Amino acid sequence: MANMASDPLTMPTAMSATSAASATRLGNPELQLSVIVPVKDEEQAIAAFIARLAPILDALFADGAWEVLFIDDGSEDATMAAILAAHGRDGRIRALSLSRNFGKEAALSAGLDHASGKAVIPMDVDLQDPPEVIGQMLDRWREGYEVVYGVRRNRSTDSLPKRLTADLYYRAHNYLSDDKIPEHAGDFRLLDRSVVEVIRRMPERNRFMKGLFAWSGFRQAAVEYDRVPRAVGKTKFRYWKLWTLAIDGITSASTMPLRIWSYVGVMIALLALVYAIYLTIRTTLFGIDVPGYTSMMVATLFLGGVQLISLGVLGEYVGRILVETKQRPIYVIRQKVGIDADRSEESR
Ligand code: UDP
Ligand code: MG
C-alpha cells in the first residue's frame, strides 16, 4: 500500500471501499494500463489492431507498462492463432479463450476479471474507436477522474435506422432508469481500478455493461472522438441482437415496465365503471338493447391485448429472475495465454 499512497490516482474515497480487493488483484503493481478487447471471428483484424495500438501505448508509457488482453469469445476462425502469433512477438499481448460464444458483455466481464492494470480500457478490435484517444483519456484520469468515457462526435458511420433506434433507446433508458447512460458513449472508456473492482463485485448474470458503468457512479469525464467505419470484417450485431440487448438494459435498470400495468389496469377499470353506470342507467330508462356485438368484441380484444402485453413484460422479468437464480458462471475459460495462474484465481 505504501507505493499506492504516493500515487496521485489513489483517491482515499475510492480506495477505502476496494483496497483489500485491489491489493490482491494487483499481482503486477507496475502495470499501468490494460486494454481489453473482446473478439469474435476477427482473424483479419488482430494484426492491424496491434500494429496501430502498440506504438501508441509505447509512446504513452516509457516503461512499457501496458498489456493488451484479448478475450476470444468462441471464435470459429483463426482468431486465436493470430493472437498466439502476436503473443509470440510481444509477451504483453495476452489472451483468454472462452469455451464458446458467450456474447460481448460476458467477454468484457472476463476481461475485467483478468486485467491487472491500474486503469482498464475496453475497446473493439475493429478500430472504429481510434486508439489515439487513449492519450486524452489518460490525461483526464491523471487529473483524478475515475471514469473517462468516449463520446462519439458524430454517428455518421452508422446507418440512419441504427442512429434513430439508438437515440430512441437512450431516451427510453434514461427516462425509465435512475442510472443515466451518457448518450453516444459506447464501451470505449477508461476505468480506474476502483471502478473495475466495483463492477467485478456485481453478482448479476445479466452483464449489460453500459448499465453497470452508469450504476457505479464515480467521477466521470468525457472525451469526444470521431467514430470511423469498421477497418475490416463486418458488424456482429444484427438488429435482433441489439433489440435483446436493449431489453436487457432496461429490465436490469428499471422496474417501471412492470409497475406501469397497475396504473393501466386502474385506468381501464375506471373507464369500465363509468361505462357500466351509463349502460345500467340507459337500460333502466330505455329497456334492454340486445345488439352490442361491436362493443363486446372491441372490449374483449382490447383487454385481451393489454393483458397479453402485461404478461409478456412480466415474462421478460421472470425469465431474467430464473437466469439469475441458476447462478451459472458468466463465462467459461478454455485457455489462458500469458496470464499467471495467481492473477486469475478469482475467475468466476
Ligand atoms: N464481439 C464479441 N462477441 C460477440 C460479438 C462481438 O466479442 O458475440 C466483439 C467483436 O469482435 C468486436 C466487438 O465485440 O471486437 C464489437 O463488435 P462489432 O464491431 O461487430 O459491433 P458494432 O461496432 O457494430 O456495434
Ligand atoms: Mg464495431
Side-chain angles (χ1 to χ4, degrees):
M1 288 306 286
N3 65 332
M4 279 187 167
S6 62
D7 183 343
L9 306 165
T10 312
M11 264 66 62
T13 46
M15 285 311 293
S16 57
T18 53
S19 54
S22 341
T24 59
R25 289 298 303 159
L26 289 172
N28 181 353
E30 260 69 46
L31 201 56
Q32 289 290 324
L33 177 69
S34 300
V35 177
I36 59 175
V37 193
V39 283
K40 164 86 170 64
D41 296 340
E42 305 273 12
E43 55 184 2
Q44 313 120 302
I46 305 280
F49 178 76
I50 294 169
R52 172 107 170 260
L53 182 64
I56 293 173
L57 295 181
D58 275 333
L60 289 168
F61 298 99
D63 54 357
W66 53 264
E67 68 172 353
V68 174
L69 177 59
F70 286 103
I71 305 96
D72 167 35
D73 186 16
S75 297
E76 283 164 0
D77 63 0
T79 299
M80 209 47 209
I83 297 172
L84 284 171
H87 172 71
R89 284 190 293 272
D90 187 338
R92 294 170 299 180
I93 292 160
R94 304 182 174 127
L96 293 171
S97 182
L98 305 187
S99 64
R100 63 169 169 83
N101 181 240
F102 282 87
K104 184 181 174 187
E105 311 291 312
L108 280 176
S109 296
L112 291 178
D113 285 345
H114 293 83
S116 50
K118 287 182 184 166
V120 178
I121 299 185
M123 213 174 157
D124 293 353
V125 76
D126 55 15
L127 291 172
Q128 283 194 278
D129 307 316
E132 287 77 12
V133 180
I134 292 177
Q136 297 169 41
M137 289 181 164
L138 289 170
D139 289 343
R140 305 310 304 273
W141 177 53
R142 293 188 175 121
E143 284 165 23
Y145 291 97
E146 288 107 345
V147 178
V148 187
Y149 55 86
V151 179
R152 300 163 199 177
R153 204 176 286 136
N154 64 53
R155 290 188 72 122
S156 54
T157 57
D158 287 336
S159 64
L160 186 68
K162 185 161 179 181
R163 258 179 295 165
L164 287 179
T165 44
D167 227 51
L168 198 70
Y169 174 70
Y170 285 120
R171 270 162 209 257
H173 185 108
N174 288 343
Y175 178 74
L176 291 172
S177 164
D178 291 336
D179 315 322
K180 310 291 180 214
I181 300 181
E183 283 186 39
H184 308 301
D187 290 323
F188 181 38
R189 61 184 67 208
L190 182 147
L191 305 166
D192 182 68
R193 167 88 2 221
S194 49
V195 184
V196 173
E197 292 307 327
V198 170
I199 304 228
R200 292 187 64 229
R201 276 188 287 127
M202 291 189 186
E204 57 247 69
R205 314 289 106 183
N206 176 355
R207 310 299 289 184
F208 180 69
M209 280 293 167
K210 285 182 207 178
L212 300 188
F213 295 147
W215 181 89
S216 65
F218 288 97
R219 266 169 290 175
Q220 312 213 350
V223 293
E224 288 201 325
Y225 70 99
D226 290 314
R227 194 163 155 99
V228 296
R230 224 174 197 281
V232 286
K234 54 183 190 318
T235 177
K236 308 287 180 300
F237 286 88
R238 302 257 57 95
Y239 272 97
W240 185 253
K241 219 163 154 189
L242 285 174
W243 168 247
T244 318
L245 194 64
I247 297 185
D248 273 345
I250 289 187
T251 50
S252 68
S254 165
T255 54
M256 184 83 97
L258 279 177
R259 286 177 291 137
I260 195 172
W261 299 104
S262 328
Y263 303 105
V264 173
V266 167
M267 280 201 7
I268 293 181
L270 279 179
L271 286 176
L273 187 69
V274 171
Y275 190 51
I277 293 172
Y278 162 74
L279 282 185
T280 313
I281 294 174
R282 202 181 66 169
T283 313
T284 322
L285 292 183
F286 303 107
I288 293 167
D289 180 14
V290 176
Y293 179 75
T294 317
S295 52
M296 283 286 275
M297 281 311 277
V298 169
T300 312
L301 291 177
F302 175 70
L303 277 180
V306 169
Q307 282 171 356
L308 284 181
I309 295 172
S310 64
L311 270 181
V313 172
L314 204 62
E316 293 289 342
Y317 282 87
V318 174
R320 282 170 175 77
I321 297 173
L322 180 68
V323 170
E324 296 291 339
T325 53
K326 283 192 203 161
Q327 292 283 306
R328 292 202 179 149
I330 298 168
Y331 55 84
V332 178
I333 294 171
R334 181 176 52 204
Q335 188 192 354
K336 290 174 186 166
V337 179
I339 298 174
D340 348 326
D342 62 312
R343 252 177 71 190
S344 44
E345 271 305 88
E346 300 167 54
S347 71
R348 288 176 282 185

